[in-house]
Amino acid sequence: MKLGVCYYPEHWPEDLWADDARRMAELGISWVRIGEFAWSRIEPEPGRFDWAWLDRAVETLAAAGLRIVMCTPTATPPKWLVDAKPEILALDAQGRPRGFGSRRHYCFSSQTYLAECVRITEAVGARYGRHPGVGAWQTDNEFGCHDTTISYSAAAAQGFRDWLAGRYQSVDALNRAWGTVFWSQEYGDFSEVDPPNLTVTEANPSHRLDYNRFASSEVVRFNRAQSEILRRLSPGRDITHNFMGFYTEFDHFAVGRDLDFASWDSYPLGFLEQFWFSEEEKLGYLRQGHPDISAFHHDLYRGVGRGRWWVMEQQPGPVNWARYNPAPLPGMVRSWTWEAFAHGAEVVSYFRWRQAPFAQEQMHAGLNRPDNVLDQGGAEAAEVAGEVAGLGGLAPCGPAAVALLFSYEADWQFAIQPHAQGFRWLRLAFEMYSALRRLGLDVDILPPDADLSGYALVIAPSLPMLSEATLAALEASGAVVLFGPRTGSRTPEGHIPANLPPGPLQARLPVRVTRVESLRPGAGPVVEHYGRSFAGRLWREVLESDLAPLATFSDGGTAWTAHSSWHYLATWPEAALLDLVIARVALEADLPVLALEEGVRLRRRGDLLFAFNFAPEGRRTPAPADARYVLGGPELPPAGLAAWKIGAP
Ligand code: GAL
């Protein structure tokens, strides 16, 4: 459990560096990340490298005992490169080039840009790869940020055609897979296929799904090129990438396989403001963040990193980029940091050391104010450092009893054919996760092809393209399983299965979806469960089945049913019903469930149980009266946390 910070020596006069490094170490910081946007200073002109300043920065930081996360600067191709080679720019869906003057303007498919990235990665890797102060590498910065995964450039179009030729082998196979006979879309050759943009009305959904798959594989390829170089030039150092929150445009598990650990950038207040949460939630959790936002990503990135993960950027105060940017409640920076450690983070690194007085992020807090006085976030980081030192080490997180299957492809499929405005796979998955967490359960978030042995309960929020391999893994696990609506509703090509949804699941769970409808908010469907009425959200399936229902729609149709511990939902239940569904499957799996107070969440790590209060009012821990606390006590003030020994009075 170490702390880190993001630092930009190129933003500050050199005579501040040594003092910065000293103060970082004094505050209890061990890791410092540098370099991810510094290309224009590293290579001010084509082929002319200026290492002197970065050498001095590295020496200064290392001399203070800090370990360095060095980055490749490829998120910010400099002006001279863009001017010399404008073909490296991504094109948006309207076919317009992304302009210079912010960041991430490049196209993942540009071979020219890839060659430039290989060149700069080789250069930085050769310079610092074996430096004793450099302990880890970060590739690029936040792949996909600002909607930059998908490009419609000529390079992307050509890459897509090659990818399709590899996938389908013959254009006839592609025509069948996409159903191009519909609306006379048939192709005579792979070279005729364009990206699915600028069409009059919606493009072919199978075409779009393949474009998502292709774009995702381009990110994997791009990251792999850098990782391979760094592995060669920097032996023994870990390689990571800093992923984002609520971002699904490429398969993070696939990128993660080329990394030593995953990391992610945690901005709880910005995410609450920018995503689907209700006005009530946005106001109630204004300064704390929704209790499940950070945890959801911690558990996801633990999966992406195959057990190893960091928070690379932790919100330290108000950010600049959300619609509204409140300050965290005093204590929240400390609480977010402990929450990450409770979920198994190896390092929590704050963004950034000092607030920048210039350029785009002037209004983004740091651990220090622009006048170099320690800010609230900095004081709380120091507090955590002291507490960690007092506590000693903690065992890593063992596997949870519950797995939630996270499918990027499912999110793309729902986005391509939502059928109901606002029907987002990610939100459905998040709500199921929240329901598990409200019961005090720990959750592992895993890819659909994961080995599921050892899990007592598996939640598949929805797997539209349900594979035989996933079915076999579920079967082998012996777990209680919950499938959400739209599971098995598409073949891998994106067709409705010949035996109707849920396709291959029917062999194991005998239900058949004969019709689906979507409903505007407020229009139901109404779901009856043990005499109580609940609302479904946006979606209703008509099920044909001889199984006894566990809940019905108001016309008597099945809304929820089960067969030998495998459950199926024919709607997206509102939170109150979802709580009952999840409690039922958890009890069936023999898991201990708790009725936590609103805003309280738990997490086990090693022999400790942590409790966090996200509510704006005080709460109490659910610990036994004689619990032995190592942090806090039974009272949880707003932003408060506690940890006690499990089973040890
Ligand atoms: C992240 C990004 C950082 C910084 C930060 C501000 O998305 O990686 O470079 O922009 O947001 O919150």
Side-chain angles (χ1 to χ4, degrees), residues 22-180:
R22 179 188 59 77
R23 287 177 58 227
M24 286 175 197
E26 259 176 35
L27 197 125
I29 284 172
S30 313
W31 286 89
V32 55
R33 184 194 70 173
I34 59 171
E36 79 275 22
F37 302 125
W39 196 335
S40 69
R41 286 292 169 98
I42 293 173
E43 192 185 12
E45 290 167 33
R48 182 171 73 77
F49 290 93
D50 181 359
W51 299 113
W53 72 272
L54 191 49
D55 288 354
R56 290 194 298 275
V58 165
E59 293 308 330
T60 306
L61 295 166
L66 299 161
R67 306 210 71 201
I68 295 166
V69 181
M70 184 62 82
C71 303
T72 63
T74 51
T76 46
K79 187 72 167 86
W80 58 257
L81 178 51
V82 172
D83 286 348
K85 301 180 176 178
E87 70 272 24
I88 69 169
L89 295 174
L91 262 56
D92 72 8
Q94 275 65 50
R96 299 170 303 200
R98 301 289 187 134
F100 179 83
S102 69
R103 59 180 172 182
R104 303 214 52 77
H105 29 290
Y106 70 81
C107 173
F108 280 104
S109 298
S110 165
Q111 297 303 331
T112 310
Y113 192 55
L114 187 63
E116 288 294 324
C117 291
V118 164
R119 198 177 59 75
I120 193 73
T121 303
E122 294 261 5
V124 182
R127 187 83 188 175
Y128 301 110
R130 291 170 190 270
H131 192 289
V134 172
W137 288 87
Q138 175 186 299
T139 57
D140 202 280
N141 189 79
E142 290 191 341
F143 291 140
C145 185
H146 318 300
D147 292 324
T148 53
T149 296
I150 296 186
S151 164
Y152 297 92
S153 68
Q158 189 50 49
F160 183 46
R161 291 174 195 127
D162 295 343
W163 184 89
L164 290 171
R167 181 176 176 90
Y168 291 106
Q169 305 293 314
S170 83
V171 78
D172 288 347
L174 176 142
N175 282 318
R176 277 195 303 278
W178 289 7
T180 53

Side-chain angles (χ1 to χ4, degrees), residues 8 33 36-37 103 141-142 145-146 242 244 265 267 313 319-321 351 361 364:
Y8 300 89
R33 184 194 70 173
E36 79 275 22
F37 302 125
R103 59 180 172 182
N141 189 79
E142 290 191 341
C145 185
H146 318 300
N242 60 331
M244 291 191 294
D265 297 343
Y267 294 95
E313 299 181 12
V319 300
N320 63 307
W321 47 261
F351 183 91
E361 293 177 351
H364 192 299

Side-chain angles (χ1 to χ4, degrees), residues 7-24:
Y7 185 53
Y8 300 89
E10 68 276 22
H11 294 183
W12 306 102
E14 199 167 328
D15 57 14
L16 268 183
W17 296 355
D19 188 55
D20 284 342
R22 179 188 59 77
R23 287 177 58 227
M24 286 175 197

Side-chain angles (χ1 to χ4, degrees), residues 311-324:
V311 171
M312 190 59 88
E313 299 181 12
Q314 172 63 60
Q315 175 166 2
V319 300
N320 63 307
W321 47 261
R323 277 182 294 243
Y324 306 97

